[in-house]
């Protein structure tokens, strides 16, 4: 359970950094509490997308992973971020990613920051 909480906090922190750095990834809300709650829910949604959808996409694009020596990971991460944005719209959350190239850069930022936070945060069960 503690590992799940740590991963969610890392995702939320990584999403917050991407929102802060890129103007085309937006998180809006009435007040700070609403923004934090939306960010945590979007982080949970992003974690579910990465847990359920990403392995299937990686399996289906395995030849492209081999052909591009793994660089297709940037595209897959961007697609997962765009899917999270679309799902957030369905759940009436104020999170939006505007454009594919913004999603590519956002996916790269999220991957790096999430990795760094997972290194720093404890992960015992």
């Amino acid at each position: 359970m503690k590992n799940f909480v740590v991963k969610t906090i890392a995702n939320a922190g990584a999403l917050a950094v991407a929102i802060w750095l890129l103007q085309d990834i937006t998180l809006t809300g009435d007040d700070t509490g609403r923004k934090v709650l939306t960010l945590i829910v979007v982080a949970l949604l992003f974690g579910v997308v990465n847990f359920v959808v990403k392995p299937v996409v990686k399996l289906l694009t395995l030849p492209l992973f081999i052909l591009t020596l793994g660089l297709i990971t940037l595209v897959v991460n961007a697609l997962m971020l765009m899917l999270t944005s679309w799902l957030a719209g369905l759940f009436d959350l104020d999170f939006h990613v505007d454009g594919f190239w913004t999603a590519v850069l956002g996916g790269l930022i999220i991957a790096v920051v999430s990795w760094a936070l997972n290194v720093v945060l404890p992960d015992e069960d």
Side-chain angles (χ1 to χ4, degrees):
M1 180 67 180
K2 187 176 180 182
N3 194 22
F4 173 75
V5 173
V6 168
K7 297 265 187 213
T8 302
I9 291 170
N11 276 341
L15 283 165
V17 170
I19 291 165
W20 180 61
L21 289 175
L22 301 173
Q23 67 182 4
D24 289 336
I25 299 178
T26 57
L27 177 74
T28 56
D30 298 333
D31 57 357
T32 304
R34 173 90 173 144
K35 286 182 183 180
V36 169
L37 181 63
T38 301
L39 183 64
I40 291 171
V41 173
V42 169
L44 286 169
L45 191 60
F46 187 64
V48 168
V49 166
N50 279 328
F51 182 74
V52 175
V53 179
K54 191 173 184 177
V56 174
V57 172
K58 286 177 97 172
L59 180 65
L60 293 175
T61 59
L62 185 62
L64 288 174
F65 273 95
I66 295 168
L67 185 66
T68 64
L69 302 175
L71 287 176
I72 195 73
T73 304
L74 294 172
V75 175
V76 171
N77 287 345
L79 293 175
M80 296 305 108
L81 188 57
M82 291 180 77
L83 179 61
T84 302
S85 174
W86 179 73
L87 289 172
L90 290 180
F91 290 114
D92 201 29
L93 298 171
D94 298 323
F95 174 76
H96 183 69
V97 178
D98 187 28
F100 175 75
W101 292 110
T102 301
V104 170
L105 189 56
L108 182 63
I109 291 168
I110 289 169
V112 169
V113 172
S114 180
W115 170 79
L117 288 175
N118 279 316
V119 167
V120 172
L121 294 173
D123 65 348
E124 317 82 47
D125 282 332

